[in-house]
Amino acid sequence: MTKMALGTHPFLLGFEQLERLVERTAKTGNDGYPPYNIEQTSDRSYRITLAVAGFAEEDLTITIEDSALVVRGRLTEDMGERVFLHRGIAGRQFQRSFVLAEGVEVGTATIVNGLLHIDLNRSEPDRVIQTIQIRKG
């Protein structure tokens, strides 16, 4: 028995892009930093929360690239004169990506007590019924 790829199944016309999306998501190097939560806040809204202790607003960037929400962090503070006896709080740069489904829009982003909250909203899909005329050949 031959295994069919997702995008080549005869009932999934035009879904080739979905297979590429799944592959791209699987390849993203998620090393677990920074830790995050994803919660459903209502039937049509979600919240992503990232633990970004030590990062200020100006150290973080949030962009939407190719249907993905990308959060990047890079500390800009000068460590020149500081001497650490122990450094257990990670302050390294990071990039965390979340693939967005069609119709999901990014709302507000807030930072509170070292947690970055990004609210997402799913828009109501338009129901379209279209009648196709049959022509005589």
Side-chain angles (χ1 to χ4, degrees), residues 6 8 12-13 19 21 23 37 40-41 52 59 72 91 95 101 115 135:
L6 177 67
T8 60
L12 298 175
L13 300 174
E19 186 172 17
L21 181 65
E23 288 175 8
N37 292 336
Q40 185 170 4
T41 54
V52 292
D59 298 330
R72 291 182 180 91
Q95 176 176 313
L115 297 174
R135 298 186 316 187

Side-chain angles (χ1 to χ4, degrees), residues 32-36 49-57 59-60 71-77 79 82 84 87-94 110-117:
Y33 179 76
Y36 66 93
T49 301
L50 289 95
V52 292
F55 288 86
E57 288 179 44
D59 298 330
L60 301 168
V71 182
R72 291 182 180 91
R74 172 173 274 198
L75 286 176
T76 55
E77 99 180 48
M79 298 286 185
R82 297 174 73 178
F84 291 95
R87 185 157 188 194
I89 300 173
R92 64 184 190 261
Q93 68 181 20
F94 69 87
T110 55
I111 192 166
V112 179
N113 297 329
L115 297 174
L116 174 65
H117 302 288

Side-chain angles (χ1 to χ4, degrees), residues 65-135:
E65 305 170 12
D66 297 327
S67 300
L69 172 68
V70 181
V71 182
R72 291 182 180 91
R74 172 173 274 198
L75 286 176
T76 55
E77 99 180 48
D78 183 23
M79 298 286 185
E81 305 231 356
R82 297 174 73 178
V83 177
F84 291 95
L85 300 179
H86 172 75
R87 185 157 188 194
I89 300 173
R92 64 184 190 261
Q93 68 181 20
F94 69 87
Q95 176 176 313
R96 178 68 74 173
S97 298
F98 303 92
V99 177
L100 300 175
E102 187 174 325
V104 173
E105 298 172 357
V106 179
T108 59
T110 55
I111 192 166
V112 179
N113 297 329
L115 297 174
L116 174 65
H117 302 288
I118 304 169
D119 292 318
L120 308 171
N121 300 303
R122 178 184 293 272
S123 59
E124 185 73 36
D126 295 333
R127 290 201 56 182
V128 177
I129 298 175
Q130 183 179 1
T131 303
I132 309 298
Q133 287 186 354
I134 301 173
R135 298 186 316 187

Side-chain angles (χ1 to χ4, degrees), residues 7 20 47:
R20 287 191 300 271
R47 173 174 270 187

